[in-house]
Amino acid sequence: MKFTDDQIADIGEEIIRILKTVYDPEIPVDIYELGLIYDVQISEEADVKIIMTLTTPNCPVAETLPQEVKDKVKAVENVNEVDLELTFEPSWNKDMMSEEAKFELGML
């Protein structure tokens, strides 16, 4: 089944809403505002590819956080398959955080 651009946009908005419910255990800010999500691609068939990173390669949730992201995105209505790619290029740094995240952490 192929989705329209509007339907794909709606799916994308729902994915971002879900991503904002996933938190880094060491920083009280969600992974989307932290800038850990580098890219979300959605095909016409609603296959989703997420490219994300972690704050550090030896992050204590390196095993569980990507799986949590994948499971939550897969649960979004109409999402077909979810492919999650974990990358450390470019490596995450504080400049990738949103203004909201920086404010939350008292960095502004």
Side-chain angles (χ1 to χ4, degrees):
M1 176 177 167
K2 290 200 173 191
F3 290 92
T4 66
D5 288 348
D6 284 349
Q7 288 171 313
I8 288 172
D10 289 345
I11 292 169
E13 283 177 27
E14 183 61 16
I15 288 170
I16 289 169
R17 193 185 67 72
I18 289 294
L19 292 173
K20 288 184 174 190
T21 69
V22 181
Y23 285 80
D24 184 292
E26 297 179 338
I27 308 170
V29 175
D30 70 75
I31 62 171
Y32 190 81
E33 296 295 341
L34 272 178
L36 298 182
I37 303 296
Y38 286 171
D39 198 14
V40 177
Q41 301 163 0
I42 307 167
S43 74
E44 290 179 338
E45 290 81 26
D47 289 328
V48 178
K49 178 166 187 179
I50 295 173
I51 301 172
M52 70 173 288
T53 193
L54 300 170
T55 49
T56 62
N58 55 2
C59 176
V61 291
E63 297 297 312
T64 56
L65 192 66
Q67 191 60 49
E68 180 185 355
V69 168
K70 197 171 176 178
D71 292 346
K72 285 189 170 180
V73 170
K74 185 126 177 76
V76 170
E77 190 177 353
N78 294 323
V79 166
N80 187 23
E81 287 298 318
V82 178
D83 176 28
L84 188 140
E85 183 182 320
L86 196 58
T87 184
F88 293 99
E89 294 294 321
S91 53
W92 180 85
N93 66 64
K94 292 177 179 154
D95 294 337
M96 295 173 171
M97 292 192 297
S98 69
E99 294 292 313
E100 186 180 314
K102 289 176 183 171
F103 179 76
E104 194 74 30
L105 297 172
M107 295 169 67
L108 283 182

